[in-house]
Structures are given as structure tokens and as C-alpha cells.
Amino acid sequence: MLKIAVMISGGGTDLQSIIDACQAGKINGQIELVVSNRQKAYGLERAQKAGIETAVVKKNDALIVSMFKERQIDLVVLAGYLAILTDELIDAYPNQIINIHPSLIPSFCGAGMYGMHVHEAVLNRGVKVSGATVHFVSREIDGGPIIKQVACDISDLDKAEDIQARVLEIEHQILPEVVGLYCDGRIQIENGRVKVI
Ligand SMILES: Nc1nc2c(c(=O)[nH]1)N[C@@H](CN(C=O)c1ccc(C(=O)N[C@@H](CCC(=O)O)C(=O)O)cc1)CN2
Ligand SMILES: NCC(=O)N[C@@H]1O[C@H](COP(=O)([O-])[O-])[C@@H](O)[C@H]1O
């Protein structure tokens, strides 16, 4: 059973989807620690209600690495973590950090593209499909190997909040699915491309 750490910044519905999947026996792993860079993140309450250790750490990836090593973490999941990881953390966990992004990468991603900013940009550009992406985290923001993407038709929507809600439904499906695949050793990377075996 793999040891999982989840990093958050906000409400934690993506975190909750992993908690629920673990409790349902769908993931061969256990969340050992939830780290937030914001004191008031509701996701911290979600973790505490599930009996999961939590910590608030701001701009200190060295401390985060030490906490992860101390707990022998195997997989790090960014679930709405709205800060850029330093090389120190990324280099300590090569191909062991995954992120959920609320668009179809390489569209609408990178610096400044997070949360509602993404859906507002999608709405303003007038694209007819959006979706969510789970990818490995690399030094290039949102540039790591893509693991899974699912698209949705948004041609009937004209509010960013409604786009967000539809994309979140996808997020809550694909994030726990990918975590489960990772814990089962079914994700391989070859030449920067991901294969699910
Ligand atoms: N080195 C990496 N760090 C992070 C990655 C990554 O791929 N490589 N993925 C991001 C997640 N993310 C989108 O998926 C993302 C998060 C935050 C930002 C951003 O511009 N943040 C602002 C601050 C926002 C705030 O605190 O309110 C900033 O840093 O100026 C862009 C993309 C996680 N990190
Ligand atoms: N670039 C990263 C990013 O924008 N992540 C996004 O933050 C939200 C967190 O929601 P949650 O706090 O309810 O899980 C999610 O929509 C996630 O895709």
C-alpha cells in the first residue's frame, strides 16, 4: 500500500474525491499527510474529519521534503495547490508528483492560470470544449507528461462558474482514477509519454 501526501490551497473537493476513493477501497494507498499553504483552507477540515494528519507550510519546500521523507511518502498529489513548486521538491520526487489542472493542457495553463482564472479565460476565448488534465509535475509549470485527460462540451454554458462546476465533475472522476492506477503500478513513462498498462 503506497503512502500518499496531498497538497492543497482551498476547499479540497479534489482531496475529498481521493479520501472517498480510499475509504471505498478503490485505491491501494493511504493518505498519510495533507499539507496546505493556506491556514484557512477548508480542505484541512476535510482531512481532519477523515482522521488524516494535516500541516500548514508556507514557502518552505525544504520543510515539506523533510516531512515527506520522514513519512516515507511514495506519491505526492497536488489537489488545487496554488503555488509553484521549487526544484528542491520536484528533484526529491522525480515522477512521483502529480497535479490536476482544470483545462485541457497545453491550453489555458502555466503561470497565472489557476482556479477561476482558467475558466474565465476559457469563456472569454469562446472555446466549445474544456475539461481536466492529470499530469506529472516538472520544473516547467503544467509542462510535465500528461497522464489522463477528459473533455466536456461547454457550448451551452455562458458563465465561468458553470464551466468550473462541469469541469470539477470530471476532476472528481479522473484524479482518484489516476491515483489508483499509480498505486497499482500501472503508469509508465517512455520518452515523455505516459502509458497505462
Ligand atoms: N514547478 C511546478 N509547480 C507547480 C506545477 C508544475 O507543473 N510545476 N503545477 C501547478 C499547479 N498549477 C496549475 O495546475 C498552478 C498553480 C499556481 C499558479 C500560479 O500562478 N500561482 C500564483 C499564486 C496564486 C495564489 O497564491 O493565489 C503565483 O505563483 O504567482 C500557476 C499554476 C502547481 N505548481
Ligand atoms: N492550476 C491548479 C488549479 O487551478 N487547480 C484547480 O484548483 C481547484 C481546486 O478545487 P478544490 O479545492 O475544490 O479541490 C480545482 O479545480 C483544480 O483543478
Side-chain angles (χ1 to χ4, degrees), residues 38 82-85 90 99 101 110 112-114 137-138 141-142:
R38 294 183 183 174
L82 301 185
I84 306 305
L85 299 190
I90 292 169
N99 178 55
H101 183 75
M113 277 290 160
Y114 56 91
V137 170
S138 66
I141 301 171
D142 299 331

Side-chain angles (χ1 to χ4, degrees), residues 148-187:
K148 188 172 180 74
Q149 294 182 300
V150 171
C152 58
D153 179 354
I154 59 166
S155 60
D156 61 318
L157 302 178
D158 58 11
K159 294 187 179 68
E161 294 77 9
D162 295 337
I163 296 172
Q164 179 185 48
R166 191 168 288 179
V167 170
L168 271 170
E169 288 180 15
I170 293 173
E171 295 181 42
H172 299 157
Q173 297 298 318
I174 68 174
L175 184 57
E177 178 186 345
V178 169
V179 172
L181 290 169
Y182 188 100
C183 289
D184 289 341
R186 293 183 54 197
I187 294 176

Side-chain angles (χ1 to χ4, degrees), residues 11 29 35 48 53 102 115 121 123 127 140 144 148 155 157 169 173 192:
V35 175
Q48 288 152 10
E53 182 186 5
L123 182 69
V127 296
E140 179 189 356
K148 188 172 180 74
S155 60
L157 302 178
E169 288 180 15
Q173 297 298 318

Side-chain angles (χ1 to χ4, degrees), residues 98-109:
I98 66 175
N99 178 55
I100 180 87
H101 183 75
S103 78
L104 297 174
I105 288 174
S107 297
F108 306 103
C109 64

